[in-house]
Amino acid sequence: MKKKIAIIGGGAAGMMAAARIAELDADIKVVLFEKNPSLGRKVIISGGGRCNVTTGIQDVRAVLSRYARGNKFLNSAMWNFPPAAVYDWFEGHGVPLKTEDDQRVFPKSNDGADIVDVFERLFADANVELRLKSSVRRVSQSGPQATTYIVESDNQLEEFDAIILTTGGQAYRHTGSTGDGYSFAESMGHHITPLAASLNSFMLSDKWIKSVPGVSFTDVLLTSSRNLQHKSQGAIVCTHTGISGPAVFALSAQIAFEDYTKANPLTIYIDWLPNESSDSIRAVMNNACEQYPKRQLNRLLHDWLPKSLVTQILEQLNIDEQIPLAELSKSRRTILVEQLKRSSVNLIGRSSGSEFVTAGGVDTDEINPKTMESRISPGLFFAGEIMNVDGVTGGFNLQASWAAGYLAAEGAIGFLV
């Protein structure tokens, strides 16, 4: 009798798991359940609709360092299907890719739908049955000593030899990532770690930085006041509500479980010139005061920061931006250096970022990292955001999903042999 595998969730991990099974064993019947009317909705909107497929970083150890949670757990999956192999896989299936200067990889078409089209074409020619608009209500083993699983969907009960849970997290609920898989996992004895949002933008209480929306910086250093080890360096952009951008997303992953609200703000330090020391900035400032005494202060600061931000910083410090450098006291120079190296802003909330993933999930201690199989329920496999694995922005979360889905497929086939 033909073996059957149920894959619950048609996102990145689920699609890759189904594709890998189809490639390895055409005799296995795969049923892919997806509650949406189409596959890969979150995949398509990722990267601003262009789909940041993976990262261009080739060093697997360097790739693993980009995960706030789950980097050690992902070791086997990542070496088994690293970014270079993912790149080759998609190009081999007819989607030309490109690596941009920041090492993000996209389809040359800049259309995320092309990535999902790969799987739709592959499934049409393989032994994969798509159950779109099909909500799974319950997953259970068929008995105390059973080696098969029962899937209840749309009032229908079906028996499967193995199950791969790829239901995602609970971010982007409009794409179907509503956390259903957590209850399925718990019903079979698994534990769910605390959940929080990650890769989000920051809402700030500080009016001075919110008054320059659209102003961007290519390289700043952000540090959390509650834990100075939580820091990130890179680009940010000011918004009407606070700050966003890659450095913000990276820090948000590190402080995903921090509590910050209007009543309990979290202070973040901004180093606007992370590649210059306080002493070097002070030396430049002192030299300018001596050589160009009539030069206005704002013109000096414009060498480092945009005019609009300089105006806001000096206004909050109650310093006349047109003051001649000759009148700039040493104490004020010290204050300005401190502001350039350690501006303080106060986080009061989270808002959606370009990816916005869930931190936390199924406890990876309960999953075999070499197969993605449950250590509690044989024949049950996990892949994707449902697990307690999340990375920073830049293609790392999709890479983790491709790699885990690929390995889970191989593990499921091995289980059925």
PDB file of all heavy atoms in Angstrom, residues 394-406:
ATOM      1  N   GLY A 394      17.365  39.710   6.075  1.00  0.00           N
ATOM      2  CA  GLY A 394      18.398  39.501   5.064  1.00  0.00           C
ATOM      3  C   GLY A 394      18.317  38.154   4.388  1.00  0.00           C
ATOM      4  O   GLY A 394      19.292  37.682   3.811  1.00  0.00           O
ATOM      5  N   GLY A 395      17.163  37.492   4.470  1.00  0.00           N
ATOM      6  CA  GLY A 395      16.988  36.192   3.829  1.00  0.00           C
ATOM      7  C   GLY A 395      17.232  35.014   4.748  1.00  0.00           C
ATOM      8  O   GLY A 395      17.089  33.860   4.337  1.00  0.00           O
ATOM      9  N   PHE A 396      17.576  35.284   6.005  1.00  0.00           N
ATOM     10  CA  PHE A 396      17.949  34.198   6.908  1.00  0.00           C
ATOM     11  C   PHE A 396      16.750  33.373   7.374  1.00  0.00           C
ATOM     12  O   PHE A 396      16.875  32.165   7.593  1.00  0.00           O
ATOM     13  CB  PHE A 396      18.717  34.759   8.105  1.00  0.00           C
ATOM     14  CG  PHE A 396      19.996  35.424   7.704  1.00  0.00           C
ATOM     15  CD1 PHE A 396      20.077  36.804   7.585  1.00  0.00           C
ATOM     16  CD2 PHE A 396      21.118  34.667   7.377  1.00  0.00           C
ATOM     17  CE1 PHE A 396      21.251  37.430   7.185  1.00  0.00           C
ATOM     18  CE2 PHE A 396      22.297  35.273   6.969  1.00  0.00           C
ATOM     19  CZ  PHE A 396      22.361  36.658   6.876  1.00  0.00           C
ATOM     20  N   ASN A 397      15.586  33.993   7.519  1.00  0.00           N
ATOM     21  CA  ASN A 397      14.424  33.225   7.961  1.00  0.00           C
ATOM     22  C   ASN A 397      13.890  32.322   6.854  1.00  0.00           C
ATOM     23  O   ASN A 397      13.506  31.176   7.110  1.00  0.00           O
ATOM     24  CB  ASN A 397      13.340  34.170   8.498  1.00  0.00           C
ATOM     25  CG  ASN A 397      13.739  34.750   9.845  1.00  0.00           C
ATOM     26  OD1 ASN A 397      13.812  34.038  10.840  1.00  0.00           O
ATOM     27  ND2 ASN A 397      14.035  36.032   9.863  1.00  0.00           N
ATOM     28  N   LEU A 398      13.892  32.801   5.624  1.00  0.00           N
ATOM     29  CA  LEU A 398      13.508  31.922   4.521  1.00  0.00           C
ATOM     30  C   LEU A 398      14.538  30.817   4.344  1.00  0.00           C
ATOM     31  O   LEU A 398      14.188  29.656   4.096  1.00  0.00           O
ATOM     32  CB  LEU A 398      13.344  32.711   3.222  1.00  0.00           C
ATOM     33  CG  LEU A 398      11.965  33.324   2.971  1.00  0.00           C
ATOM     34  CD1 LEU A 398      11.939  34.073   1.646  1.00  0.00           C
ATOM     35  CD2 LEU A 398      10.874  32.259   2.992  1.00  0.00           C
ATOM     36  N   GLN A 399      15.820  31.149   4.482  1.00  0.00           N
ATOM     37  CA  GLN A 399      16.858  30.129   4.371  1.00  0.00           C
ATOM     38  C   GLN A 399      16.648  29.026   5.401  1.00  0.00           C
ATOM     39  O   GLN A 399      16.773  27.833   5.091  1.00  0.00           O
ATOM     40  CB  GLN A 399      18.240  30.757   4.547  1.00  0.00           C
ATOM     41  CG  GLN A 399      19.389  29.760   4.675  1.00  0.00           C
ATOM     42  CD  GLN A 399      19.550  28.847   3.474  1.00  0.00           C
ATOM     43  OE1 GLN A 399      19.317  29.266   2.341  1.00  0.00           O
ATOM     44  NE2 GLN A 399      19.936  27.595   3.711  1.00  0.00           N
ATOM     45  N   ALA A 400      16.311  29.395   6.627  1.00  0.00           N
ATOM     46  CA  ALA A 400      16.064  28.396   7.673  1.00  0.00           C
ATOM     47  C   ALA A 400      14.868  27.520   7.316  1.00  0.00           C
ATOM     48  O   ALA A 400      14.875  26.309   7.566  1.00  0.00           O
ATOM     49  CB  ALA A 400      15.831  29.083   9.017  1.00  0.00           C
ATOM     50  N   SER A 401      13.854  28.126   6.726  1.00  0.00           N
ATOM     51  CA  SER A 401      12.664  27.353   6.342  1.00  0.00           C
ATOM     52  C   SER A 401      12.968  26.397   5.196  1.00  0.00           C
ATOM     53  O   SER A 401      12.534  25.235   5.213  1.00  0.00           O
ATOM     54  CB  SER A 401      11.526  28.299   5.948  1.00  0.00           C
ATOM     55  OG  SER A 401      11.031  28.993   7.070  1.00  0.00           O
ATOM     56  N   TRP A 402      13.689  26.878   4.174  1.00  0.00           N
ATOM     57  CA  TRP A 402      14.054  25.974   3.070  1.00  0.00           C
ATOM     58  C   TRP A 402      14.874  24.801   3.604  1.00  0.00           C
ATOM     59  O   TRP A 402      14.614  23.638   3.266  1.00  0.00           O
ATOM     60  CB  TRP A 402      14.893  26.692   2.011  1.00  0.00           C
ATOM     61  CG  TRP A 402      14.363  27.936   1.380  1.00  0.00           C
ATOM     62  CD1 TRP A 402      15.041  29.111   1.200  1.00  0.00           C
ATOM     63  CD2 TRP A 402      13.063  28.163   0.790  1.00  0.00           C
ATOM     64  NE1 TRP A 402      14.258  30.042   0.564  1.00  0.00           N
ATOM     65  CE2 TRP A 402      13.045  29.493   0.290  1.00  0.00           C
ATOM     66  CE3 TRP A 402      11.916  27.383   0.656  1.00  0.00           C
ATOM     67  CZ2 TRP A 402      11.934  30.053  -0.336  1.00  0.00           C
ATOM     68  CZ3 TRP A 402      10.802  27.933   0.030  1.00  0.00           C
ATOM     69  CH2 TRP A 402      10.812  29.242  -0.456  1.00  0.00           C
ATOM     70  N   ALA A 403      15.878  25.112   4.442  1.00  0.00           N
ATOM     71  CA  ALA A 403      16.783  24.079   4.923  1.00  0.00           C
ATOM     72  C   ALA A 403      16.075  23.071   5.823  1.00  0.00           C
ATOM     73  O   ALA A 403      16.269  21.858   5.699  1.00  0.00           O
ATOM     74  CB  ALA A 403      17.952  24.722   5.672  1.00  0.00           C
ATOM     75  N   ALA A 404      15.233  23.565   6.734  1.00  0.00           N
ATOM     76  CA  ALA A 404      14.526  22.660   7.642  1.00  0.00           C
ATOM     77  C   ALA A 404      13.484  21.831   6.905  1.00  0.00           C
ATOM     78  O   ALA A 404      13.308  20.644   7.176  1.00  0.00           O
ATOM     79  CB  ALA A 404      13.871  23.453   8.771  1.00  0.00           C
ATOM     80  N   GLY A 405      12.782  22.447   5.939  1.00  0.00           N
ATOM     81  CA  GLY A 405      11.802  21.700   5.154  1.00  0.00           C
ATOM     82  C   GLY A 405      12.455  20.613   4.321  1.00  0.00           C
ATOM     83  O   GLY A 405      11.950  19.494   4.212  1.00  0.00           O
ATOM     84  N   TYR A 406      13.601  20.932   3.752  1.00  0.00           N
ATOM     85  CA  TYR A 406      14.373  19.984   2.948  1.00  0.00           C
ATOM     86  C   TYR A 406      14.798  18.786   3.793  1.00  0.00           C
ATOM     87  O   TYR A 406      14.659  17.630   3.387  1.00  0.00           O
ATOM     88  CB  TYR A 406      15.597  20.731   2.418  1.00  0.00           C
ATOM     89  CG  TYR A 406      16.322  20.127   1.245  1.00  0.00           C
ATOM     90  CD1 TYR A 406      15.915  20.369  -0.064  1.00  0.00           C
ATOM     91  CD2 TYR A 406      17.474  19.363   1.445  1.00  0.00           C
ATOM     92  CE1 TYR A 406      16.628  19.864  -1.147  1.00  0.00           C
ATOM     93  CE2 TYR A 406      18.185  18.848   0.364  1.00  0.00           C
ATOM     94  CZ  TYR A 406      17.757  19.102  -0.928  1.00  0.00           C
ATOM     95  OH  TYR A 406      18.463  18.608  -2.002  1.00  0.00           O
TER      96      TYR A 406
END
